[in-house]
């Protein structure tokens, strides 16, 4: 019996998220001759990740027959955009969907000298940090490499940010700081970031990619060796008794172990500092004694400190520290040699700021709208207390 050159398949398989070897094997599996597989991979890679091609028909320098064979069996489809919101400060948030109940958010934060995309690694989260809205959503599942990369592709489609080789790119940085704990989805995050940082494709330097973790200590060294991105640690407290409560993973991996793993992080140096995130919770972790202890704890680690004003969400059990307290806290940190450490809240009006991301299944989405209205009231009270 003679097999057709391409095996018919019930559903088209996505090529997004496959590394070069897997892509070559997939093409060969679908009938591409072994000897031309590498060349085909190079050509497809360039179209997909340099030019942002969304369909094979656009790949004008490839043989028509090859393009139609590809289109018959494969897809370059992005996640479905459920909503796109634009904040009054220019921050954009997309709610994306790749299946029933599989919804996740991505946030673009434009600044004068860069544009940062905040990418999700899981739908929901298992960590239950007390101050985090995502933590109130149970883990639905890990995102796969296609879905992680899809966030960057959707953002760049929407921003008109192709090709990757153009000057003045809009997405210059990627932070794994969206929904989920990236080190609990290590393999998929690693596979996706390898493509994000591939010089022949999306071409973001590893220095412009940061992975943030609540402190999955056994995975930190591995992340440094195998992913090699910048590292951010959600520290948020300087004593175990408090961190046990607000970042419960601390019960498993306490502060000392966490900081030891940071000291050993491969690639950390004064030019590649580890970022320590510290959310400012009124009356909880914002005393000046806490600030001094923070500085003491981090001594000897090449560190940056990022103070994050707490972003409110409906029924959150905390309030943001008063601005004057944040300033005093920051001054102690500044005097210890860490420059301008306060992270300006971005996109609060569209629930896009740190810790506000959360997706719901379709039938629950109305409740999110209600929650957002409730939030507007909470926030206007909060914003009124902040300097403009
Ligand atoms: N799970 C990873 C990735 C999330 S990053 C991690 O914990 O690092 C998102 C950052 O925003 C984390 O530092 C998180 O602790 C912080 N965050 C969560 N909720 C917040 C809130 N309501 N206000 C300010 N920051 C918050």
């Amino acid at each position: 019996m003679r097999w057709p050159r391409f095996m018919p398949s019930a559903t088209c398989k996505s090529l997004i998220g496959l590394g070069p070897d897997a892509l070559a094997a997939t093409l060969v599996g679908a009938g591409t001759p072994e000897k031309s597989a590498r060349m085909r991979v190079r050509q497809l890679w360039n179209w997909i990740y340099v030019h942002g091609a969304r369909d094979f028909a656009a790949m004008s320098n490839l043989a028509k027959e090859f393009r139609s064979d590809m289109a018959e069996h494969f897809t370059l489809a992005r996640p479905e955009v459920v909503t796109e919101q634009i904040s009054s400060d220019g921050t954009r948030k997309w709610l994306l969907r790749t299946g029933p109940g599989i919804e996740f958010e991505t946030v673009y934060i434009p600044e004068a000298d860069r544009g940062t995309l905040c990418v999700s690694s899981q739908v929901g989260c298992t960590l239950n940090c007390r101050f985090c809205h995502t933590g109130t959503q149970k883990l639905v599942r890990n995102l796969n490499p296609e879905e992680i990369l899809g966030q960057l592709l959707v953002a760049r489609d929407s921003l008109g940010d192709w090709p990757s080789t153009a000057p003045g790119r809009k997405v210059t940085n990627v932070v794994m700081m969206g929904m989920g704990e990236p080190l609990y989805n290590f393999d998929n995050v690693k596979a996706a970031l390898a493509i994000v940082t591939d010089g022949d494709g999306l071409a973001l330097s590893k220095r412009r990619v940061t992975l943030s973790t609540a402190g999955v200590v056994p995975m930190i060294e591995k992340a440094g060796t195998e992913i090699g991105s910048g590292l951010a640690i959600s520290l948020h407290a300087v004593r175990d008794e408090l961190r046990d409560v607000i970042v419960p993973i601390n019960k498993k991996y306490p502060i000392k172990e966490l900081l030891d793993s940071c000291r050993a992080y491969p690639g950390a140096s004064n030019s590649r500092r580890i970022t320590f995130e510290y959310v400012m919770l009124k009356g909880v972790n914002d005393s000046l004694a806490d600030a001094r202890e923070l500085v003491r704890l981090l001594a000897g680690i090449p560190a940056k400190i990022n103070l994050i004003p707490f972003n409110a969400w409906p029924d959150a059990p905390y309030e943001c520290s008063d601005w004057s307290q944040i300033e005093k806290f920051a001054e102690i940190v500044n005097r210890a040699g860490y420059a301008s450490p306060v992270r300006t809240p971005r996109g609060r009006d569209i629930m896009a700021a740190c810790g506000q991301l959360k997706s719901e299944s379709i039938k629950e989405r109305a409740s999110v709208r209600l929650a957002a209205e409730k939030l507007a009231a909470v926030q206007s009270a909060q914003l009124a207390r902040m300097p403009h």
Side-chain angles (χ1 to χ4, degrees), residues 97-170:
R97 199 178 103 100
T98 53
I102 307 301
E103 296 189 345
F104 43 98
E105 296 184 312
T106 305
V107 178
Y108 174 67
I109 307 144
E111 289 173 274
D113 58 340
R114 69 174 104 179
T116 303
L117 193 72
C118 180
V119 169
S120 294
S121 56
Q122 299 180 313
V123 180
C125 192
T126 53
L127 293 174
N128 292 316
C129 299
R130 282 293 298 277
F131 50 85
C132 179
H133 198 209
T134 309
T136 64
Q137 180 185 7
K138 282 212 168 61
L139 179 72
V140 178
R141 73 158 166 77
N142 285 337
L143 293 176
N144 60 36
E146 178 191 349
E147 293 164 326
I148 296 170
L149 272 174
Q151 298 173 58
L152 177 55
L153 302 184
V154 164
R156 293 187 58 190
D157 291 347
S158 164
L159 295 164
D161 193 25
W162 301 105
S164 304
T165 45
R169 283 172 59 170
K170 300 216 168 73

Side-chain angles (χ1 to χ4, degrees), residues 189-201:
V189 167
K190 175 181 162 183
L193 292 182
I195 296 178
V196 167
T197 56
D198 180 80
D200 294 324

